[in-house]
Amino acid sequence: MVETYAAPYGADPAHVIGALRMMRSASLLIRRIEAYFAAQGLSQLRFLVLIVIDREPERKSLAPNEIAQRIDVSKPVMTRTLQSLQKDALISISANPSDKRSKEVALTPKGRQRLQDTLPGYYKILSEGMENN
């Protein structure tokens, strides 16, 4: 089937089949990660927010727009995500001491612990996903 469709467009059928297999593996891996995050009370986006804040060892907090830029999501999506993380007490949002109009987002002890509890299983899933390829 791939040869029938690929040949008229000058595509190498072996490359197309390889790409389709890679996409299938990635799809299965993403579904497994999503299920794992759901069991942890997270989503990929909520996890990424926690990671982005945590990976800044020289800083204790980040502005919402910095987080949104690093994850590449829109401001409305980031606002909703931060609100849900704050509601779950995984982050705190406070006024920036040097500019009261801007906000600072920091991990709470509960958020830091949730991240630490989530990372081993996350890395296990990624590692197993590569073993199967």
Side-chain angles (χ1 to χ4, degrees):
M1 179 190 82
V2 171
E3 288 180 16
T4 302
Y5 285 106
Y9 303 109
D12 182 332
H15 290 165
V16 172
I17 289 169
L20 291 171
R21 285 185 178 138
M22 184 175 23
M23 290 168 54
R24 173 72 176 151
S25 293
S27 176
L28 293 171
L29 181 60
I30 287 169
R31 279 191 253 156
R32 192 166 169 213
I33 289 170
E34 287 173 345
Y36 176 71
F37 284 151
Q40 304 299 313
L42 295 172
S43 65
Q44 285 191 38
L45 181 55
R46 287 166 51 100
F47 174 78
L48 287 173
V49 169
L50 299 179
I51 281 284
V52 164
I53 297 168
D54 189 61
R55 76 177 184 191
E56 299 282 344
E58 68 282 353
R59 295 178 64 187
K60 301 235 186 267
S61 62
L62 294 172
N65 66 324
E66 291 177 297
I67 300 168
Q69 288 172 348
R70 290 175 188 176
I71 298 175
D72 193 27
V73 297
S74 68
K75 184 178 177 181
V77 168
M78 183 54 54
T79 298
R80 284 190 305 274
T81 303
L82 293 177
Q83 287 169 345
S84 76
L85 287 166
Q86 184 180 36
K87 179 178 173 260
D88 291 345
L90 300 177
I91 62 167
S92 62
I93 302 173
S94 57
N96 181 324
S98 60
D99 181 358
K100 300 293 183 201
R101 295 172 294 159
S102 65
K103 304 284 184 196
E104 293 292 320
V105 181
L107 292 179
T108 62
K110 181 179 176 182
R112 191 168 310 282
Q113 188 61 53
R114 176 77 55 90
L115 182 59
Q116 293 308 310
D117 292 346
T118 302
L119 286 170
Y122 173 69
Y123 281 111
K124 181 178 183 213
I125 291 169
L126 292 178
S127 181
E128 289 171 356
M130 291 309 295
E131 286 173 7
N132 297 331
N133 285 322

